[in-house]
Amino acid sequence: MKANKFFAIALAALTLGFVACKKDEPQQDKLKVTPEVAEVSVGATVQLSANLEVTWSSSDEAIAGVNASGLVTGIKEGEVNISAKAVKTNEVAVCKVTVKAGGVTPPPAIPEIDVTDGTLADWEALPADKVVSWECPDDAAMLGLKGVAVYATEMYISILVEPNMDDITDLEWVPFHVYIDLDNSDATGGYGDEFADANTDILCESAIFSAGEPYPYNPAVFKWWGEVGADGWEWTDPSVEHDGSDFWGAIIGEGQLPVGNSECVDGKFEIQLLRELLATVHDMNDSEFGIGFDIQQNWSSVGILPCGSATDENPSGKVAKLKVKINK
Ligand SMILES: [Ca+2]
Ligand SMILES: [Ca+2]
């Protein structure tokens, strides 16, 4: 009986002790990682945290790495699991991390047109909104040119021209002109009423046919430059000195005339002018300029672009020069 009583007391004490012991032991929390889902850009970081002491690891170090403090760095686009493993219990919790393209992406390089490559594929690759183009309407008063496209960068003015060979009646010598309002100002330029716009600052002339053969357009063959009105304009060639200074070389360019030969590219050809050299003759507007074209169908008729349908208000069908924005 005495023994039984002892055991009863001992059991009670043990039970009490156990209960007390359980009450004193800190509650073991479930491992939790915050946040459980995250996004990070390539090259950027995002901080994860855990409620327990953990070690961190990444399911793919090539996509995102994690350091001992739970700082995750995006390496390349993709998805990874960043795991936290509790030091005491080996319990694991995961944060799913999506790595997105870097926020600091370098701007794409401005493409240039190559007028010597014998292909128009480089034009087709340009974003449409970077090119200014014009199609001659069917009922235009000024025929001879089907259409034109202009793409300008800080380096070059590139021009794609499509003559309408059906309208050109004399192929012996077919002059072609490019006239440019370099400063986009009506107050400068002009050559009487000879050109479509009186604010032309510089004019390049070459030919697309000579002696009946396709001729590679060379805008340096002849050039005009001028001031307001006709007085300052001169017709030059390489042998002519101008006021003691030789402007020869102020316009360079290359042209491919594919019409009628094996290098024909849809009856179109490309020309390029170097802006830096144009600017040596006139200040050039830094962001926008005007440009127009004409082709001599024969000695008495000239086709002009841009042109429009002849109307009572505009019987000539001439319209203002194309406004070209410089792509930077
Ligand atoms: Ca080309
Ligand atoms: Ca001008």
Side-chain angles (χ1 to χ4, degrees), residues 98-123:
T98 301
V99 181
K100 303 212 159 209
V104 190
T105 309
I110 300 292
E112 288 289 1
I113 292 295
D114 182 352
V115 297
T116 65
D117 61 359
T119 172
L120 305 181
D122 42 356
W123 286 89

Side-chain angles (χ1 to χ4, degrees), residues 158-180:
S158 298
I159 302 161
L160 181 66
V161 179
E162 184 176 15
N164 189 344
M165 300 311 294
D166 293 340
D167 294 332
I168 297 171
T169 55
D170 180 3
L171 292 181
E172 280 302 303
W173 173 247
V174 182
F176 179 73
H177 297 113
V178 178
Y179 39 100
I180 308 175

Side-chain angles (χ1 to χ4, degrees), residues 18 29 72 100 122 124 133 173 182 243 259 262 268 289 298 308:
F18 178 75
D29 289 333
V72 177
K100 303 212 159 209
D122 42 356
E124 289 155 13
S133 62
W173 173 247
L182 288 170
D243 293 340
V259 179
S262 60
K268 299 175 182 176
F289 62 93
N298 51 52

Side-chain angles (χ1 to χ4, degrees), residues 180-190 198-202 282 321:
I180 308 175
D181 179 10
L182 288 170
D183 57 1
N184 205 32
S185 166
D186 292 344
T188 59
N199 52 17
T200 291
D201 298 303
I202 196 161
H282 269 289
K321 289 189 183 81

Side-chain angles (χ1 to χ4, degrees), residues 3 46 48-49 55 97 107 122 126 138 190-191 196 200 236 259 264 274 282:
V46 60
L48 307 185
S49 60
T55 57
V97 174
D122 42 356
L126 294 175
D138 291 340
Y191 188 76
T200 291
T236 67
V259 179
C264 175
L274 184 58
H282 269 289

Side-chain angles (χ1 to χ4, degrees), residues 112-113 151-158 272-275:
E112 288 289 1
I113 292 295
Y151 172 74
T153 65
E154 291 179 292
M155 186 76 76
Y156 295 108
I157 301 169
S158 298
Q272 201 162 59
L273 307 176
L274 184 58
R275 281 188 58 206

Side-chain angles (χ1 to χ4, degrees), residues 132-253:
V132 176
S133 62
W134 188 275
E135 295 289 326
C136 188
D138 291 340
D139 58 349
M142 308 276 177
L143 301 174
L145 288 164
K146 284 184 185 172
V148 65
V150 183
Y151 172 74
T153 65
E154 291 179 292
M155 186 76 76
Y156 295 108
I157 301 169
S158 298
I159 302 161
L160 181 66
V161 179
E162 184 176 15
N164 189 344
M165 300 311 294
D166 293 340
D167 294 332
I168 297 171
T169 55
D170 180 3
L171 292 181
E172 280 302 303
W173 173 247
V174 182
F176 179 73
H177 297 113
V178 178
Y179 39 100
I180 308 175
D181 179 10
L182 288 170
D183 57 1
N184 205 32
S185 166
D186 292 344
T188 59
Y191 188 76
D193 294 322
E194 294 280 328
F195 306 120
D197 277 315
N199 52 17
T200 291
D201 298 303
I202 196 161
L203 176 89
C204 319
E205 182 190 71
S206 184
I208 64 166
F209 269 76
S210 180
E213 294 294 326
Y215 186 84
Y217 185 90
N218 177 358
V221 170
F222 290 108
K223 59 188 176 291
W224 263 304
W225 66 90
E227 298 164 0
V228 178
D231 290 349
W233 285 76
E234 291 204 23
W235 180 233
T236 67
D237 66 39
S239 63
V240 174
E241 296 278 319
H242 178 72
D243 293 340
S245 57
D246 186 1
F247 280 89
W248 182 246
I251 302 171
I252 65 160

